[in-house]
Amino acid sequence: MLFITAALALQLELVRHSLAGTHYRYRQVIGGQPVVGGEVNLTVRPDGTTEETRNVCEAPPTSIAAGAVVAPFIVNVRGVAHYANRVEANRVVRYIDTESGEVIRVEPRFAGAKAARVFDANPVKKLNDPSLQDQNNAASAVPDTAYTTVELDDVNGSGPLGGPYCQIIDLQPPAVPPAGAAGPLLFDRSQPGFEDVNAYFHVDRSQRYLQSLGYTGQKGVAQYPVPVDTHAANGSDSSFFIPSLTIGEGTLIFGDGGTDDAEDPDLVNHEYAHALHEWIAPGTFLGPFASEGRAISEGFADYWAFSASYEVSLQSGRDPFCFADWDARCWNDASSEQCAYPAGADCLRRLDSARTIADFDHNESNGTQYLNGEIWSSALREIFVALTQRYGVGDGRRVADTIAVESLFGAPPDPSFAGIARRMIAADRDLYRGANADVICAAMTQRGILDGCVTVPRGELTVFESGDRAVPIPDDDAGGISSSVFLSDWRSIDKLYVQINVSHPVRGDLRIALVGPDGTTVLLKDQSNDRTSGIHATYGRDSLPAQSLDVFHGQPARGEWRLEVSDLRPRDAGTLMSWSLVVQFAGDGPAVARPTAAPRQFIPVAGRVPGANGTFFTTDLRLLNRRSRDVTAMVIFTPDGADGRTDFAAVQVSVPADAVVALPDIAGTTFGTAGLGQLEIDGDVVAVSRTYTRRGDGGTLGESIAPSAGARAGTLIRLSDTSEVRTNIGFAETAGNGGSVYLRLFDAVSGAHVADEMLPIQPYGHLQIPVTAAASMTARFESTTDVAGYASIIDNVSGDATIVVASSGQPESGLAPAISATGALGTRWTTDVWVSGPATLTYVDAITLRADTVTITPQPQTYFPDIVRLTFHGVRGVISATGADLSETIANDGFRQSVAFLMPVEATQDLAYVERSSAFRTNVGLMSDEAVSVRVTLLDASGRELSSSIHALEPLQLDQFTIVEPVVDGHVRIEALSGRVAAYASVVDNITGDASFVPAR
């Protein structure tokens, strides 16, 4: 057996003897740690022959091979070793990858599968037999063919029937003990255990179906043992979902009146859908009976049941749009059975109602939610049927269900039909590149939910943002806070929306009102049972205000508008992060043609889009007005692949003098869309964006992206495609002509030509392609039109993206900070430099003032890792560079920020994005190639001065300091009192340590 241990590090784990031989199991060991799922099994037979099976890590990652222990477990996943943490809950052990956060191994701690008898679909659907009747719960009421024998997976070995996603309980009268998990589960419908088994099966199957759609691991929905009482509600013909004290969880209750409710899979799936809603957005869909949010909840629940039984109905020929058609068949029962249906009832509800939004019933009484829910369920049903015709029944169902579920995540308080419909369109764009927008729009338009398929603004709306940022909301104080914004425009209001960004653990605690200049007050949001955290909503657009905003129609906009926010419950405090008025003035309508005005800036890539390995990239935009008068800028988003002359979204943004306006998640929140694209900003403002992905711990990883000028040719260096990183190359057309981009890829080490590609690009268009040609590459492009080229280099483990902006290929000069040292909060910073072509780099250390120079001769690409320490033997300072195609990054623990080489200038400059808060810290750096005196002034978002200081620099001296005043969306003004200066800000996430480099402009 020495041949085994010679190839791998193995430990003998156990020995078993059988009639046919001796059996050995060896556990693989890496760095002294046993590998979960890594083993070798060896059988030695009496005649000396052997049989061996292996399931081991063949090529562990470098970090593991180096012996760096970062977690208590190593898990084998298809031959690759992963560090993982072990979590055991609900009798399930999960191993969670420490880098990706994904569940990579699941070990249920259950006795195993058990045979059980259920209604796979209700008897009427399965047999297409409307003549069936409950007959007082008689076993003889349905033939044996109505039943299906199934295997219940992961059932616990003893006690009441339960598993990882469902637990049968006895909570309410009548007192009926749950079926025992250890006993046989082959009941008929006359036995009380049948309802237990049937409910368990359908809850468990619904959860596993959700997981098959991708909702698993960190993305899982309601992955807890949902308590289910199948004989409850005092025996009435009623079923419901009760939220629990644990936020996001609850209990399913089924009555025994008439046909026992838990017998009908339609009702089980309907009530389980409410458990999904509560997990996704606790309390959001449990509003008043006449609210649109409550109707969405009931309509979706009916739809979820319809989706689950659709294929069975097709096979049997039964009407698929009849919901709960078994539960309804009890009118011949004895009165003691408490049947709630009239004679001749066929369905509890239908999913092919002709009702539209014009039929919405505002009567605030129980039952209204179901009537209004038919509008929503019928719209979803139309989408479902259209997609099954497009993709086939199985794939169509998965696409429709995924879009419907995804649209509920991040739902605003008091959600509207139109708001969730727009979220469905955005979800389709996120997940399927908008392939199904036509189907969604058609169904929602037919129901009157949306006004046509154009769902994005096209220049008719103007955003007015309050200068107040991060205002604490006192806890349990009816007086609350008041924040204001002044509008100087005298024009009358056609439509008014209110965009609110609040951080709060339980948004139902809040009451929010808008007060107009004349004192007119509109309640936007009242206290409620909504237990979801945070408000990121636009009242009047995706969230229904408690009182109509139409009272402001026709009023002049000019004057002071106030937002009043109060927290009416104790324990949980929050913060008003920002808020804006969004106004459509009388006479302003959607633009037919793309608006253009000088000066113009183009940010080559922005959007709201999921990426690989669980990433989801979002773009924030900040606009600074450094003038002494208010400025209105037009912001235009062109989606990927579109002709920007006709396909675009646009809003006007009013930026007060010396102020910064922040537009978080500009694609989703401002434009109500999703996907990648480019941004154009027309107006006399300084624009800077940040595109990032958010981690599970709340931290962010991303990059600040400054505007880029278009060019006909350019070079992109330090591109890479390996198991560690991937690269996308993108272009944004800036001339409005359209054309073609000729892209050539070269091996960065040898200079060998790797690949060519001709890429057509639309006017004002955007395109992005993955690069998969070589491990290290250089790209050169020529274009028939002006394009802004970039590369996005993404770490495959962390999801951190670094943007490389195309250079001109011509000799350039500039200064850049460089570091190899520890920083705040345990960070460790290093600087890497890439050069393609001849260049001279001079480094001056900020501590010793020692200077050193290296000269690079022409070659495909030269790489200087940790250049300060390894090349210049320094700590922190300035690199002065002269040459073509230079690129630098500063990294902390692998999280990179691209650093630009900056030319010192005499003109006043501004840093349009700085923050000092619990989330971010900001370092400001000054550099010059001569002696210079500089005034540095910090201002808040409204333009109010917070501090000012004078800094004196010697040639090539780095002066870097940390902002200490609390400020959100602030800016820094840099004035060279003598000589020239280059300035930058490094905005660092306090959780991840990832930094964004912002050059002064």
Side-chain angles (χ1 to χ4, degrees), residues 687-714:
V688 61
S689 72
R690 182 172 185 259
T691 296
Y692 57 91
T693 184
R694 192 174 296 278
R695 294 199 320 192
D697 57 8
T700 62
L701 300 169
E703 186 85 300
S704 175
I705 306 173
S708 298
R712 296 294 179 104

mmCIF file of all heavy atoms in Angstrom, residues 687-714:
data_model
loop_
_atom_site.group_PDB
_atom_site.id
_atom_site.type_symbol
_atom_site.label_atom_id
_atom_site.label_comp_id
_atom_site.label_asym_id
_atom_site.label_seq_id
_atom_site.Cartn_x
_atom_site.Cartn_y
_atom_site.Cartn_z
ATOM 1 N N ALA A 687 -18.224 65.465 -13.404
ATOM 2 C CA ALA A 687 -18.883 64.176 -13.214
ATOM 3 C C ALA A 687 -17.861 63.119 -12.826
ATOM 4 O O ALA A 687 -16.764 63.066 -13.382
ATOM 5 C CB ALA A 687 -19.600 63.749 -14.489
ATOM 6 N N VAL A 688 -18.239 62.273 -11.867
ATOM 7 C CA VAL A 688 -17.422 61.118 -11.517
ATOM 8 C C VAL A 688 -18.364 59.990 -11.107
ATOM 9 O O VAL A 688 -19.381 60.213 -10.452
ATOM 10 C CB VAL A 688 -16.427 61.436 -10.378
ATOM 11 C CG1 VAL A 688 -17.150 61.846 -9.111
ATOM 12 C CG2 VAL A 688 -15.499 60.263 -10.103
ATOM 13 N N SER A 689 -18.055 58.787 -11.524
ATOM 14 C CA SER A 689 -18.900 57.643 -11.199
ATOM 15 C C SER A 689 -18.096 56.624 -10.410
ATOM 16 O O SER A 689 -16.861 56.655 -10.387
ATOM 17 C CB SER A 689 -19.445 56.989 -12.475
ATOM 18 O OG SER A 689 -18.408 56.297 -13.151
ATOM 19 N N ARG A 690 -18.821 55.724 -9.762
ATOM 20 C CA ARG A 690 -18.198 54.569 -9.119
ATOM 21 C C ARG A 690 -19.058 53.359 -9.410
ATOM 22 O O ARG A 690 -20.270 53.366 -9.151
ATOM 23 C CB ARG A 690 -18.055 54.756 -7.613
ATOM 24 C CG ARG A 690 -17.364 53.557 -6.925
ATOM 25 C CD ARG A 690 -17.053 53.843 -5.464
ATOM 26 N NE ARG A 690 -16.303 52.741 -4.876
ATOM 27 C CZ ARG A 690 -16.835 51.786 -4.089
ATOM 28 N NH1 ARG A 690 -18.125 51.817 -3.787
ATOM 29 N NH2 ARG A 690 -16.089 50.813 -3.598
ATOM 30 N N THR A 691 -18.447 52.325 -9.987
ATOM 31 C CA THR A 691 -19.131 51.066 -10.263
ATOM 32 C C THR A 691 -18.571 50.010 -9.328
ATOM 33 O O THR A 691 -17.353 49.854 -9.218
ATOM 34 C CB THR A 691 -18.953 50.659 -11.728
ATOM 35 O OG1 THR A 691 -19.577 51.644 -12.567
ATOM 36 C CG2 THR A 691 -19.583 49.312 -12.009
ATOM 37 N N TYR A 692 -19.465 49.274 -8.657
ATOM 38 C CA TYR A 692 -19.022 48.394 -7.587
ATOM 39 C C TYR A 692 -19.966 47.216 -7.441
ATOM 40 O O TYR A 692 -21.098 47.227 -7.931
ATOM 41 C CB TYR A 692 -18.966 49.162 -6.262
ATOM 42 C CG TYR A 692 -20.288 49.785 -5.877
ATOM 43 C CD1 TYR A 692 -21.210 49.104 -5.092
ATOM 44 C CD2 TYR A 692 -20.631 51.061 -6.338
ATOM 45 C CE1 TYR A 692 -22.437 49.661 -4.771
ATOM 46 C CE2 TYR A 692 -21.849 51.637 -6.020
ATOM 47 C CZ TYR A 692 -22.743 50.928 -5.240
ATOM 48 O OH TYR A 692 -23.962 51.488 -4.933
ATOM 49 N N THR A 693 -19.475 46.185 -6.751
ATOM 50 C CA THR A 693 -20.308 45.069 -6.323
ATOM 51 C C THR A 693 -20.310 45.037 -4.816
ATOM 52 O O THR A 693 -19.311 45.400 -4.170
ATOM 53 C CB THR A 693 -19.809 43.727 -6.888
ATOM 54 O OG1 THR A 693 -20.715 42.682 -6.526
ATOM 55 C CG2 THR A 693 -18.427 43.378 -6.391
ATOM 56 N N ARG A 694 -21.431 44.648 -4.223
ATOM 57 C CA ARG A 694 -21.562 44.650 -2.764
ATOM 58 C C ARG A 694 -21.390 43.229 -2.220
ATOM 59 O O ARG A 694 -21.934 42.284 -2.764
ATOM 60 C CB ARG A 694 -22.925 45.202 -2.361
ATOM 61 C CG ARG A 694 -23.051 45.503 -0.872
ATOM 62 C CD ARG A 694 -24.370 46.177 -0.565
ATOM 63 N NE ARG A 694 -24.490 47.474 -1.195
ATOM 64 C CZ ARG A 694 -23.971 48.594 -0.713
ATOM 65 N NH1 ARG A 694 -23.263 48.556 0.415
ATOM 66 N NH2 ARG A 694 -24.136 49.739 -1.334
ATOM 67 N N ARG A 695 -20.624 43.107 -1.138
ATOM 68 C CA ARG A 695 -20.418 41.808 -0.504
ATOM 69 C C ARG A 695 -21.504 41.536 0.524
ATOM 70 O O ARG A 695 -22.257 42.426 0.917
ATOM 71 C CB ARG A 695 -19.046 41.758 0.174
ATOM 72 C CG ARG A 695 -17.889 41.816 -0.764
ATOM 73 C CD ARG A 695 -16.608 41.307 -0.153
ATOM 74 N NE ARG A 695 -16.389 41.704 1.232
ATOM 75 C CZ ARG A 695 -15.237 41.559 1.882
ATOM 76 N NH1 ARG A 695 -14.208 41.032 1.254
ATOM 77 N NH2 ARG A 695 -15.102 41.933 3.138
ATOM 78 N N GLY A 696 -21.560 40.289 0.995
ATOM 79 C CA GLY A 696 -22.552 39.912 1.978
ATOM 80 C C GLY A 696 -22.392 40.632 3.299
ATOM 81 O O GLY A 696 -23.351 40.780 4.057
ATOM 82 N N ASP A 697 -21.179 41.095 3.631
ATOM 83 C CA ASP A 697 -20.956 41.797 4.888
ATOM 84 C C ASP A 697 -21.261 43.283 4.785
ATOM 85 O O ASP A 697 -21.037 44.034 5.743
ATOM 86 C CB ASP A 697 -19.512 41.600 5.370
ATOM 87 C CG ASP A 697 -18.473 42.062 4.349
ATOM 88 O OD1 ASP A 697 -18.857 42.673 3.325
ATOM 89 O OD2 ASP A 697 -17.272 41.810 4.574
ATOM 90 N N GLY A 698 -21.787 43.721 3.649
ATOM 91 C CA GLY A 698 -22.130 45.124 3.471
ATOM 92 C C GLY A 698 -21.041 45.952 2.839
ATOM 93 O O GLY A 698 -21.275 47.100 2.448
ATOM 94 N N GLY A 699 -19.842 45.411 2.748
ATOM 95 C CA GLY A 699 -18.750 46.142 2.115
ATOM 96 C C GLY A 699 -18.870 46.140 0.603
ATOM 97 O O GLY A 699 -19.610 45.346 0.016
ATOM 98 N N THR A 700 -18.118 47.035 -0.038
ATOM 99 C CA THR A 700 -18.175 47.150 -1.495
ATOM 100 C C THR A 700 -16.793 46.983 -2.099
ATOM 101 O O THR A 700 -15.773 47.262 -1.466
ATOM 102 C CB THR A 700 -18.753 48.511 -1.917
ATOM 103 O OG1 THR A 700 -17.892 49.568 -1.445
ATOM 104 C CG2 THR A 700 -20.146 48.720 -1.361
ATOM 105 N N LEU A 701 -16.785 46.542 -3.344
ATOM 106 C CA LEU A 701 -15.560 46.403 -4.131
ATOM 107 C C LEU A 701 -15.823 47.039 -5.481
ATOM 108 O O LEU A 701 -16.749 46.636 -6.177
ATOM 109 C CB LEU A 701 -15.194 44.928 -4.312
ATOM 110 C CG LEU A 701 -14.946 44.112 -3.038
ATOM 111 C CD1 LEU A 701 -14.874 42.637 -3.375
ATOM 112 C CD2 LEU A 701 -13.665 44.562 -2.361
ATOM 113 N N GLY A 702 -15.036 48.049 -5.838
ATOM 114 C CA GLY A 702 -15.312 48.699 -7.106
ATOM 115 C C GLY A 702 -14.245 49.685 -7.500
ATOM 116 O O GLY A 702 -13.138 49.693 -6.973
ATOM 117 N N GLU A 703 -14.618 50.549 -8.417
ATOM 118 C CA GLU A 703 -13.660 51.468 -9.029
ATOM 119 C C GLU A 703 -14.351 52.751 -9.418
ATOM 120 O O GLU A 703 -15.471 52.747 -9.936
ATOM 121 C CB GLU A 703 -13.067 50.813 -10.286
ATOM 122 C CG GLU A 703 -11.957 51.603 -10.947
ATOM 123 C CD GLU A 703 -10.589 51.329 -10.331
ATOM 124 O OE1 GLU A 703 -10.435 51.592 -9.125
ATOM 125 O OE2 GLU A 703 -9.703 50.853 -11.057
ATOM 126 N N SER A 704 -13.691 53.884 -9.139
ATOM 127 C CA SER A 704 -14.171 55.169 -9.626
ATOM 128 C C SER A 704 -13.805 55.307 -11.097
ATOM 129 O O SER A 704 -12.702 54.940 -11.514
ATOM 130 C CB SER A 704 -13.530 56.301 -8.812
ATOM 131 O OG SER A 704 -13.894 57.549 -9.331
ATOM 132 N N ILE A 705 -14.751 55.801 -11.885
ATOM 133 C CA ILE A 705 -14.524 55.929 -13.325
ATOM 134 C C ILE A 705 -14.781 57.375 -13.724
ATOM 135 O O ILE A 705 -15.902 57.876 -13.572
ATOM 136 C CB ILE A 705 -15.432 54.984 -14.131
ATOM 137 C CG1 ILE A 705 -15.273 53.545 -13.644
ATOM 138 C CG2 ILE A 705 -15.129 55.089 -15.625
ATOM 139 C CD1 ILE A 705 -16.246 52.575 -14.265
ATOM 140 N N ALA A 706 -13.747 58.035 -14.205
ATOM 141 C CA ALA A 706 -13.857 59.419 -14.653
ATOM 142 C C ALA A 706 -14.259 59.445 -16.124
ATOM 143 O O ALA A 706 -14.109 58.450 -16.845
ATOM 144 C CB ALA A 706 -12.536 60.147 -14.451
ATOM 145 N N PRO A 707 -14.790 60.569 -16.605
ATOM 146 C CA PRO A 707 -15.127 60.665 -18.031
ATOM 147 C C PRO A 707 -13.913 60.459 -18.922
ATOM 148 O O PRO A 707 -12.781 60.780 -18.554
ATOM 149 C CB PRO A 707 -15.670 62.090 -18.150
ATOM 150 C CG PRO A 707 -16.149 62.437 -16.786
ATOM 151 C CD PRO A 707 -15.201 61.764 -15.849
ATOM 152 N N SER A 708 -14.144 59.894 -20.113
ATOM 153 C CA SER A 708 -13.079 59.640 -21.085
ATOM 154 C C SER A 708 -13.421 60.331 -22.404
ATOM 155 O O SER A 708 -14.583 60.336 -22.817
ATOM 156 C CB SER A 708 -12.912 58.140 -21.333
ATOM 157 O OG SER A 708 -12.545 57.471 -20.162
ATOM 158 N N ALA A 709 -12.417 60.880 -23.036
ATOM 159 C CA ALA A 709 -12.621 61.476 -24.351
ATOM 160 C C ALA A 709 -12.532 60.395 -25.418
ATOM 161 O O ALA A 709 -11.788 59.420 -25.283
ATOM 162 C CB ALA A 709 -11.574 62.549 -24.598
ATOM 163 N N GLY A 710 -13.298 60.526 -26.462
ATOM 164 C CA GLY A 710 -13.234 59.571 -27.554
ATOM 165 C C GLY A 710 -12.002 59.769 -28.411
ATOM 166 O O GLY A 710 -11.432 60.861 -28.494
ATOM 167 N N ALA A 711 -11.557 58.682 -29.057
ATOM 168 C CA ALA A 711 -10.394 58.732 -29.941
ATOM 169 C C ALA A 711 -10.565 57.703 -31.044
ATOM 170 O O ALA A 711 -11.408 56.803 -30.949
ATOM 171 C CB ALA A 711 -9.111 58.472 -29.152
ATOM 172 N N ARG A 712 -9.763 57.823 -32.084
ATOM 173 C CA ARG A 712 -9.820 56.881 -33.201
ATOM 174 C C ARG A 712 -8.864 55.700 -33.030
ATOM 175 O O ARG A 712 -8.924 54.760 -33.820
ATOM 176 C CB ARG A 712 -9.505 57.605 -34.521
ATOM 177 C CG ARG A 712 -10.514 58.683 -34.912
ATOM 178 C CD ARG A 712 -11.854 58.066 -35.230
ATOM 179 N NE ARG A 712 -12.868 59.049 -35.578
ATOM 180 C CZ ARG A 712 -13.289 59.275 -36.819
ATOM 181 N NH1 ARG A 712 -12.797 58.582 -37.826
ATOM 182 N NH2 ARG A 712 -14.219 60.191 -37.052
ATOM 183 N N ALA A 713 -7.992 55.752 -32.026
ATOM 184 C CA ALA A 713 -7.042 54.658 -31.796
ATOM 185 C C ALA A 713 -6.619 54.690 -30.335
ATOM 186 O O ALA A 713 -6.735 55.717 -29.656
ATOM 187 C CB ALA A 713 -5.824 54.781 -32.714
ATOM 188 N N GLY A 714 -6.140 53.564 -29.841
ATOM 189 C CA GLY A 714 -5.700 53.508 -28.458
ATOM 190 C C GLY A 714 -5.092 52.171 -28.106
ATOM 191 O O GLY A 714 -5.105 51.215 -28.906
#
